[in-house]
Amino acid sequence: MRNQYLDTLDDPDFEVTPHEIARERAEWYEKVVSWYEYNRQWLSHLDAVNATMARFDIAKETLRRKCIEAGVWER
């Protein structure tokens, strides 16, 4: 009978692939950019940046770069 693992923490053979890490990071950056864009509807640019930085604990330069890539940066 094979071992049945409840989750990946119980599985000694579990490995995270670089592709998985890159995919999760891209999804996280999409959330960050969408949060900035959502806040920008009601807040000033500076307030939207500060709110996003506080919520996601992200550096301003990284936020700026990702928002520019997405085409939503207002400055």
Side-chain angles (χ1 to χ4, degrees):
M1 182 176 185
R2 280 185 17 202
N3 288 336
Q4 295 293 323
Y5 297 110
L6 296 176
D7 62 13
T8 56
L9 296 175
D10 295 331
D11 186 358
D13 298 324
F14 176 75
E15 291 183 24
V16 179
T17 63
H19 175 71
E20 179 96 12
I21 293 170
R23 183 187 58 76
E24 287 181 6
R25 186 173 290 164
E27 288 174 1
W28 188 78
Y29 284 133
E30 285 178 24
K31 285 182 188 177
V32 170
V33 169
S34 66
W35 185 260
Y36 166 80
E37 190 174 23
Y38 176 78
N39 281 329
R40 191 63 186 100
Q41 295 175 32
W42 297 281
L43 302 173
S44 68
H45 169 75
L46 185 59
D47 288 341
V49 168
N50 288 335
T52 305
M53 287 172 51
R55 177 165 173 94
F56 289 98
D57 193 26
I58 187 171
K60 186 175 183 177
E61 276 305 308
T62 306
L63 174 62
R64 180 178 174 272
R65 183 170 26 94
K66 293 299 179 180
C67 287
I68 288 173
E69 288 173 7
V72 297
W73 192 254
E74 294 278 330
R75 290 216 149 172

